[in-house]
Amino acid sequence: MKKLRIYVDTSVIGGCEDAEFSSASRGLWSKFRTGEYVMVISDLTLQEIEGAPAKVRRYLEEIPADHQVQVALSTDVE
């Protein structure tokens, strides 16, 4: 069975530290960590998150490489 792939952007990652969205965002993160869902993230989002506080960037480090797909920035994407 194919796993559900979910695209995340900076607002989803930052939501882990936002009082209003932390419960839902951290629940999603739990599913990424266990591999129930596959996180899809773009090079652009990775570039944007570089300027975020360390506690926000740390969330990406929690997701095993085999539970994520990185999408390269291309002219089509731009």
Side-chain angles (χ1 to χ4, degrees), residues 4-78:
L4 183 62
R5 293 174 172 227
I6 299 176
Y7 176 79
V8 298
D9 63 11
T10 53
S11 65
V12 175
I13 301 164
C16 292
E17 289 295 318
D18 185 298
E20 183 177 355
F21 301 106
S22 66
S23 179
S25 291
R26 289 179 183 190
L28 179 61
W29 235 247
S30 176
K31 293 182 184 296
F32 289 146
R33 277 194 308 273
T34 63
E36 185 176 343
Y37 295 165
V38 175
M39 179 179 70
V40 179
I41 190 164
S42 70
D43 287 348
L44 179 59
T45 299
L46 293 172
Q47 289 172 8
E48 291 173 347
I49 207 74
E50 285 177 2
K55 64 182 177 182
V56 173
R57 290 192 317 267
R58 212 167 315 137
Y59 285 98
L60 290 177
E61 297 169 6
E62 296 177 0
I63 309 303
D66 59 337
H67 298 178
Q68 59 181 289
V69 173
Q70 292 185 4
V71 179
L73 188 59
S74 68
T75 54
D76 289 340
V77 171
E78 291 175 2

